Amino acid sequence: MTTVAKVSEETDGLHTLSHLDALESESVHIVREVAGEFERPVILFSGGKDSIVMLRLALKAFAPAAVPFTLLHVDTGHNFPEVLAYRDRTVAAHGLRLHVASVQEYIDAGTLRERPDGTRNPLQTLPLTEKIQAERFDAVFGGGRRDEEKARAKERIFSLRDEFSQWDPRRQRPELWQLYNGRHAPGEHVRVFPLSNWTELDIWQYIARERIELPEIYFAHEREVFSRHGMWLTAGEWGGPKDGEPTETRLVRYRTVGDMSCTGAVDSDATTLDAVIAEITASRLTERGATRADDKMSEAAMEDRKREGYF
Amino acid sequence: MTTIDTLRFATAGSVDDGKSTLVGRLLHDSKSILTDQLEAVTRASAGDAPDLALLTDGLRAEREQGITIDVAYRYFATPRRRFILADTPGHVQYTRNMVTGASTADLAIVLVDARNGVVEQTRRHAAVAALLRVPHVVLAVNKMDLVGYQESVFAAIVEEFTAYAARLGAPEITAIPVSALLGDNVVEPSSHMDWYSGPTILEHLTSVRAEHDPHREPARVPVQYVIRPQTAEHPDYRGYAGQIVRGTLRVGERVTVLPGGRTSTVTAIHELGRPVDAARSPRSVTVLLRDDIDIARGDLIVSGDGAPALTRSIDATVCHVADRPLTVGQRVLLKHTTRTVKAIVEAIPSRLNLHDLSRHPDPGQLVANDIGHVRVRTAEPVAVDAYADSRRTGSFLLIDPADGTTFAACMVEESR
């Protein structure tokens, strides 16, 4: 019988939107806008938790059809082997195509030079931007979140980049309602950040809700590490430790994954998603403050890299 | 156990009104600043005490000049609510960024320096909040410590602001006397103003009702993308992907697809993989229909009665957000929901004088940061609602076809 006079919120068969549902719907809307408006979008996929969530949203946005995008990874040459294995598993499982821009190839060719401090994070910009130009990508999805860092807090969801991939915060387009303006001239492209409004905790709660598999280094495990600038770095062929940096085996996990030379592990006994969520909820350190050396170089380290075309 | 909801709010204030300090205080006193962030701010501060404005001014030029250039988005939470804060610049040159922040906000905080009272920028911010129909407005009268915490100073500013905002049709205004620098009435109640018995800023943010579109209204679903797997498993699947931007959509309902006007029946709704009987805004869904009709990106699926009328002539209130002017006769692109059509600026009937709210007739053009009225004629029919009824289907952009610059933020007026 359908002659019900009044339908109450509780009995109309609709469950309340949780904050994760609302974030998911907003992000999927952004992903679909890009599919509708651009010719050659690509998803930056590193095998880190943010890009994993971004890929999950893309998979859900077009189901039961395939994701109409390819993936791009900037391989620093110092990535964690567990994460590269995860990347390749994921690409194969979903029948996707992966482009790789290799920092090592640029170093071998003499186009880029190794920095004295050994970090390869700033070296990623050139291979990334050249790959974007070579493949004529016109929309590049990044997993950046505004809660990560104060320069990122200024980032639009659709961020227009010139032919040199440069970001100019003074010349950003106003972003009104949910009307994303992706118009661009040939050679320009748009960086798109569908996870802009997510926090680190949202990401973990969503991973738990959706039961998404992650690279194992996100969970506590024993690892040979050494201390540099107050962070636990993984010993390895990338160049650490130096003399006078003794290694030790500790129970650690990673809050973020990136280049081994500048991504620190945190002491942790969190071996499950629930334990990780509890740990993050209680933490008094930000994700990047705890684990990223390159952001500490100066007050404007991220802003400067973003201006040059970094993601 | 109640669900934690999200309140989106925007802050606005003139240069040196202490807005960054207020935001910093809000984040700091609600314990949303983590240890390493506070250490970084303390290191960068000139004096002994951390300069809380440095928490929010994230760009090099902002720190150098001590002003906020662009919108920054901040995230914090209390046990009852999550907050997304659009921290917008007050400088007149960057008013467009306040429009950016306010367009998605449930609440706007307009900051006034108690020593200066209502100034030109205050009026501009009040106008933007009112015209964009931000459901709640908070007037934060800051620097009360510098006027001896006098109630009379506060009351006079409230009266002037309220009278002005009421003429713009602003919703209810909550006025709160604060000292962002010292923390009075931001998170902790002030001990200096016993004449004030209202909420602190944070109390108000936590308790105010988060407004959303009424759910029982007929649905509006702008089609973003047509999903056709064309696989052995799904040879005939044809789903219309889009976000329900208003109302509720149900399986079995009759729908009309605009601008074509064909009707059909909803046979299935998929909430990102999960079939449901009904879904409401702001869900992203995929809709399946009984009839095989031609539907593409840019079409609007509407359920039930009260479909918007198709029109090729739209009257709108606009905020001009580009450096180049908008002139009568100009050819533009009009972006409404997922549909972009060619259009021409047919008339600019008036520009708003923010000082006395008079309408300057036929200004000929609108320049950066102007608020005015325009009439546009479109090359193809567009299905628009009044902005007063729906922020999502009642708003559109005017875009420069040459280089993609966003010219203006537009709100469809009620009576045409």
Side-chain angles (χ1 to χ4, degrees):
Chain A
M1 299 298 287
T2 52
T3 50
V4 180
K6 267 166 64 177
V7 181
S8 81
E9 294 277 333
E10 288 73 29
T11 58
D12 64 359
L14 296 164
H15 62 92
T16 311
L17 234 64
S18 73
H19 86 274
L20 289 179
D21 293 331
L23 286 170
E24 179 186 60
S25 279
E26 179 181 64
S27 299
V28 164
H29 174 252
I30 294 161
V31 170
R32 287 168 166 177
E33 280 299 281
V34 171
E37 296 241 310
F38 291 84
E39 298 291 325
R40 287 179 64 79
V42 69
I43 298 177
L44 289 174
F45 185 77
S46 65
K49 64 183 185 308
D50 299 316
S51 62
I52 290 169
V53 166
M54 186 164 57
L55 178 60
R56 168 62 59 112
L57 293 166
L59 288 163
K60 292 182 88 164
F62 302 102
V67 174
F69 313 129
T70 56
L71 305 185
L72 168 60
H73 182 220
V74 183
D75 187 343
T76 65
H78 291 161
N79 289 106
F80 292 91
E82 300 93 327
V83 179
L84 291 181
Y86 177 93
R87 176 195 78 182
D88 294 339
R89 271 203 312 279
T90 305
V91 168
H94 299 295
L96 297 164
R97 179 172 170 215
L98 176 74
H99 307 268
V100 177
S102 162
V103 172
Q104 188 64 54
E105 283 176 18
Y106 275 74
I107 292 173
D108 293 345
T111 319
L112 285 176
R113 205 175 314 152
E114 198 87 72
R115 295 161 50 96
D117 62 6
T119 177
R120 286 186 170 184
N121 245 13
L123 302 186
Q124 294 181 78
T125 303
L126 186 67
L128 169 69
T129 55
E130 289 200 346
K131 184 62 108 180
I132 290 170
Q133 294 298 325
E135 297 285 342
R136 291 178 292 110
F137 294 129
D138 56 358
V140 181
F141 283 106
R145 309 186 322 264
R146 288 170 177 156
D147 81 321
E148 282 180 83
E149 205 275 336
K150 58 188 174 183
R152 286 226 161 121
K154 300 262 168 186
E155 182 70 85
R156 297 283 195 262
I157 289 172
F158 271 43
S159 178
L160 184 66
R161 304 296 174 103
D162 66 12
E163 59 184 314
F164 301 100
S165 291
Q166 295 178 110
W167 181 65
D168 184 350
R170 281 173 187 267
R171 292 178 52 86
Q172 298 195 89
R173 282 180 183 156
E175 202 153 80
L176 303 146
W177 298 285
Q178 282 82 13
L179 287 166
Y180 302 108
N181 177 358
R183 296 192 80 84
H184 58 282
E188 296 178 339
H189 72 278
V190 173
R191 299 280 172 91
V192 183
F193 301 98
L195 303 181
S196 286
N197 285 326
W198 296 56
T199 64
E200 184 188 16
L201 192 57
D202 297 329
I203 292 285
W204 281 104
Q205 288 173 341
Y206 190 74
I207 286 167
R209 186 184 92 169
E210 299 282 305
R211 301 171 197 276
I212 303 173
E213 190 210 333
L214 290 182
E216 51 269 42
I217 68 170
Y218 277 116
F219 300 98
H221 57 286
E222 293 212 322
R223 178 176 283 267
E224 196 181 7
V225 292
F226 65 93
S227 175
R228 181 182 291 173
H229 306 311
M231 291 193 312
W232 294 116
L233 297 184
T234 292
E237 288 177 10
W238 61 267
K242 293 180 189 151
D243 296 340
E245 291 178 327
T247 61
E248 56 182 289
T249 301
R250 298 183 73 89
L251 190 60
V252 295
R253 69 173 201 88
Y254 283 86
R255 268 174 87 170
T256 144
V257 303
D259 189 82
M260 287 167 92
S261 61
C262 61
T263 308
V266 292
D267 287 315
S268 171
D269 56 7
T271 55
T272 64
L273 278 173
D274 285 347
V276 168
I277 289 170
E279 187 181 282
I280 288 170
T281 308
S283 173
R284 296 305 302 159
L285 288 179
T286 65
E287 179 179 341
R288 301 193 82 86
T291 63
R292 285 296 174 99
D294 45 336
D295 290 343
K296 295 179 180 170
M297 288 177 190
S298 82
E299 266 285 288
M302 174 67 88
E303 178 185 347
D304 293 344
R305 286 206 308 275
K306 277 167 64 68
R307 281 176 177 275
E308 288 167 13
Y310 189 80
F311 33 87
Chain B
M1 185 71 186
T2 53
T3 327
I4 296 179
D5 64 3
T6 301
L7 185 85
R8 295 186 186 227
F9 71 107
T11 56
S14 301
V15 180
D16 294 332
D17 277 357
K19 191 171 53 61
S20 293
T21 309
L22 174 75
V23 171
R25 176 63 66 189
L26 202 53
L27 296 173
H28 179 266
D29 288 5
S30 64
K31 303 193 170 44
S32 307
I33 304 300
L34 300 184
T35 312
D36 55 314
Q37 291 171 313
L38 198 59
E39 280 170 5
V41 165
T42 308
R43 265 200 311 277
S45 301
D48 286 343
D51 178 356
L52 294 178
L54 294 178
L55 282 168
T56 57
D57 286 338
L59 301 174
R60 192 187 284 280
E62 292 177 328
R63 288 188 296 275
E64 283 165 6
Q65 298 173 37
I67 61 167
T68 307
I69 290 171
D70 205 342
V71 188
Y73 292 87
R74 314 277 160 201
Y75 303 82
F76 65 103
T78 63
R80 284 174 57 191
R81 185 168 264 179
R82 298 171 77 251
F83 297 97
I84 300 178
L85 158 59
D87 180 20
T88 77
H91 198 278
V92 62
Q93 189 186 343
Y94 303 110
T95 299
R96 57 184 161 218
N97 292 328
M98 182 193 166
V99 179
T100 290
S103 71
T104 53
D106 304 306
L107 179 148
I109 298 178
V110 178
L111 205 70
V112 170
D113 185 328
R115 296 169 303 173
N116 304 332
V118 174
V119 296
E120 177 75 18
Q121 270 304 80
T122 316
R123 293 194 185 92
R124 199 178 289 277
H125 294 145
V128 168
L131 295 172
L132 284 148
R133 292 186 175 265
V134 178
H136 303 274
V137 173
V138 173
L139 171 67
V141 180
N142 189 29
K143 306 197 183 183
M144 286 300 293
D145 53 312
L146 298 183
V147 295
Y149 295 108
Q150 286 178 73
E151 183 177 12
S152 57
V153 174
F154 174 72
I157 293 170
V158 173
E159 193 184 333
E160 187 182 353
F161 183 88
T162 309
Y164 180 84
R167 290 175 59 199
L168 287 159
E172 195 179 79
I173 292 155
T174 305
I176 303 176
V178 302
S179 165
L181 190 67
L182 303 176
D184 291 279
N185 287 337
V186 179
V187 172
E188 300 296 330
S190 171
S191 57
H192 299 107
M193 293 176 274
D194 45 15
W195 46 265
Y196 175 77
S197 57
T200 65
I201 301 261
L202 187 65
E203 274 167 20
H204 184 66
L205 292 175
T206 305
S207 60
V208 75
R209 192 165 157 264
E211 297 281 342
H212 296 291
D213 285 336
H215 291 126
R216 293 194 194 98
E217 293 188 350
R220 303 272 190 269
V221 188
V223 175
Q224 293 185 275
Y225 195 82
V226 181
I227 294 175
R228 294 173 60 216
Q230 295 179 291
T231 54
E233 202 184 340
H234 303 281
D236 301 318
Y237 185 101
R238 194 178 170 85
Y240 306 103
Q243 189 172 25
I244 304 176
V245 297
R246 179 187 148 184
T248 299
L249 187 70
R250 292 164 199 284
V251 172
E253 233 176 341
R254 290 296 288 175
V255 293
T256 307
V257 183
L258 298 173
R262 299 282 299 270
T263 59
S264 186
T265 304
V266 177
T267 53
I269 302 169
H270 293 164
E271 267 183 8
L272 305 182
R274 195 171 59 107
V276 292
D277 294 334
R280 64 163 66 131
S281 70
R283 276 279 193 187
S284 281
V285 295
T286 306
V287 181
L288 284 83
L289 301 181
R290 175 162 301 150
D291 305 282
D292 196 11
I293 51 181
D294 180 26
I295 301 177
R297 174 174 172 83
D299 287 347
L300 181 69
I301 298 175
V302 301
S303 69
D305 302 327
L310 288 172
T311 180
R312 292 180 56 178
S313 176
I314 306 170
D315 288 308
T317 305
V318 311
C319 299
H320 189 68
V321 295
D323 292 329
R324 270 169 291 149
L326 187 73
T327 54
V328 174
Q330 196 164 346
R331 290 179 185 278
V332 292
L333 294 172
L334 183 152
K335 186 178 171 76
H336 171 252
T337 64
T338 56
R339 186 171 170 84
T340 303
V341 298
K342 288 183 178 175
I344 192 161
V345 179
E346 201 164 58
I348 302 180
S350 65
R351 179 168 55 84
L352 193 65
N353 180 334
L354 288 170
H355 191 71
D356 59 7
L357 295 179
S358 64
R359 288 185 173 201
H360 176 90
D362 296 317
Q365 64 171 19
L366 295 177
V367 301
N369 301 310
D370 274 353
I371 293 170
H373 298 271
V374 300
R375 180 174 304 134
V376 288
R377 187 158 50 83
T378 59
E380 298 164 51
V382 187
V384 293
D385 285 303
Y387 185 77
D389 297 331
S390 169
R391 274 171 131 181
R392 291 291 286 276
T393 50
S395 58
F396 61 89
L397 305 181
L398 296 182
I399 295 170
D400 185 343
D403 65 358
T405 299
T406 300
F407 272 133
C410 310
M411 293 153 279
V412 180
E413 286 170 10
E414 254 156 299
S415 52
R416 271 182 286 119

